[in-house]
């Protein structure tokens, strides 16, 4: 499973680890990705979405119907 959110589109960010001696090595900041299942009343079925924690909160605010419409507008299959 790739580490990106279907709703918000957040992906891993890259940066540096900085040691005590200030040497820098590459690192990766992954979003908090969860697989979540929602009931979609308009289609009478469950949909499984791969969302970040922020994406889950967004679904709580705008509702699953609007969230699925946004995911489909991004070009993802649901």
């Amino acid at each position: 499973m790739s580490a990106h959110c279907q709703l918000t589109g957040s992906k891993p960010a890259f940066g540096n680890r900085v040691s005590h001696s200030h040497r820098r090595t590459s690192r990766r900041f992954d979003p908090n990705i969860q697989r979540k299942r929602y009931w979609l009343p308009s289609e009478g079925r469950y949909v499984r979405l791969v969302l970040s924690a922020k994406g889950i909160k967004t679904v709580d605010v705008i509702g699953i119907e609007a969230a699925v419409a946004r995911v489909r507008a991004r070009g993802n299959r649901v």
Side-chain angles (χ1 to χ4, degrees):
M1 176 172 61
S2 63
H4 77 279
C5 177
Q6 289 180 315
L7 182 61
T8 62
S10 62
K11 297 181 287 193
F14 296 89
N16 290 313
R17 283 189 184 88
V18 181
S19 70
H20 180 69
S21 64
H22 233 61
R23 289 181 62 105
R24 289 173 165 79
T25 55
S26 184
R27 66 162 290 178
R28 177 174 146 149
F29 298 91
D30 285 324
N32 184 4
I33 296 295
Q34 310 291 324
R35 292 189 68 173
K36 193 100 164 89
R37 195 175 81 145
Y38 291 98
W39 174 252
L40 193 59
S42 64
E43 297 180 14
R45 68 184 183 105
Y46 284 99
V47 293
R48 190 177 300 273
L49 297 175
V50 179
L51 301 170
S52 62
K54 183 177 179 180
I56 292 171
K57 293 173 191 172
T58 304
V59 171
D60 291 343
V61 171
I62 67 173
I64 186 61
E65 298 288 343
V68 167
R70 283 190 193 179
V71 169
R72 287 182 173 147
R74 290 179 62 82
N76 292 332
R77 259 183 85 233
V78 177

